[in-house]
């Protein structure tokens, strides 16, 4: 039995900690264990710091991208609103003029007049939208 223990301890790699079975094998000193724990803690702290920096930079990149995208989205929204208000005013004016011409049996006099009035109302609506401060909604 003593020969087996001697062979096991002689055949072990130096980097491997000795196996402990009860009271067999050398025990590590408290100072060695403290040093190893300190080294592991320092490595873990370095890894965590690097990960926190990477997350912070990715968050900043996402915020920049969101700001750029939101600006484009607001411009598209404003453009669609301008287009819809102008077209609605012209179409409503045209329908009113056509309705008056249809009921009175006249030539398209009222259609032309109300189309022009609709275009004027649409232009006025677009002007009001353009004069609003940025970010202010009706």
């Amino acid at each position: 039995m003593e020969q087996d223990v001697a062979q096991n301890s002689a055949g072990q790699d130096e980097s491997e900690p000795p196996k402990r079975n009860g009271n067999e094998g050398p025990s590590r000193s408290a100072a060695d264990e403290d040093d190893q724990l300190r080294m592991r803690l320092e490595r873990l702290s370095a890894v965590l710091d690097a990960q926190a920096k990477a997350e912070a930079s990715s968050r900043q990149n996402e915020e920049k991208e969101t700001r750029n995208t939101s600006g484009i989205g607001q411009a598209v929204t404003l453009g669609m609103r301008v287009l819809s208000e102008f077209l609605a005013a012209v179409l409503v004016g045209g329908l009113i003029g056509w309705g008056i011409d249809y009921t009175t049996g006249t030539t398209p006099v009222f259609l032309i007049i109300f189309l022009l009035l609709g275009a004027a109302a649409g232009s006025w609506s677009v002007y009001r939208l353009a004069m609003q401060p940025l970010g202010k909604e009706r």
Side-chain angles (χ1 to χ4, degrees), residues 33-91:
E33 287 181 10
D34 286 345
D35 288 341
Q36 286 183 351
L37 286 175
R38 241 183 244 109
M39 288 184 346
R40 287 174 57 192
L41 180 62
E42 288 172 4
R43 279 185 282 165
L44 180 61
S45 295
V47 168
L48 288 175
D49 289 341
Q51 185 178 8
K53 288 178 184 177
E55 286 178 7
S57 70
S58 69
R59 247 184 275 126
Q60 288 174 348
N61 290 339
E62 287 175 6
E63 288 174 3
K64 287 179 185 177
E65 192 173 300
T66 302
R67 277 185 251 137
N68 291 341
T69 305
S70 67
I72 293 171
Q74 287 176 350
V76 169
T77 302
L78 182 61
M80 293 298 287
R81 185 172 171 193
V82 164
L83 178 68
S84 64
E85 288 197 22
F86 184 77
L87 284 178
V90 172
L91 286 174

Side-chain angles (χ1 to χ4, degrees), residues 1 4-5 8-9 12 17-27:
M1 174 99 165
D4 291 338
V5 172
N8 283 343
S9 63
Q12 284 182 343
K19 296 179 184 176
R20 294 185 194 170
N21 293 332
N23 290 334
E24 295 179 28
S27 65

Side-chain angles (χ1 to χ4, degrees), residues 56-135:
S57 70
S58 69
R59 247 184 275 126
Q60 288 174 348
N61 290 339
E62 287 175 6
E63 288 174 3
K64 287 179 185 177
E65 192 173 300
T66 302
R67 277 185 251 137
N68 291 341
T69 305
S70 67
I72 293 171
Q74 287 176 350
V76 169
T77 302
L78 182 61
M80 293 298 287
R81 185 172 171 193
V82 164
L83 178 68
S84 64
E85 288 197 22
F86 184 77
L87 284 178
V90 172
L91 286 174
V92 168
L95 285 174
I96 291 172
W98 179 80
I100 292 173
D101 279 337
Y102 182 79
T103 54
T104 58
T106 59
T107 57
V109 173
F110 288 107
L111 175 64
I112 293 171
I113 292 171
F114 278 92
L115 271 174
L116 292 173
L117 287 174
S123 297
W124 179 253
S125 178
V126 169
Y127 173 75
R128 284 187 305 148
L129 282 174
M131 298 316 294
Q132 284 181 355
L134 291 177

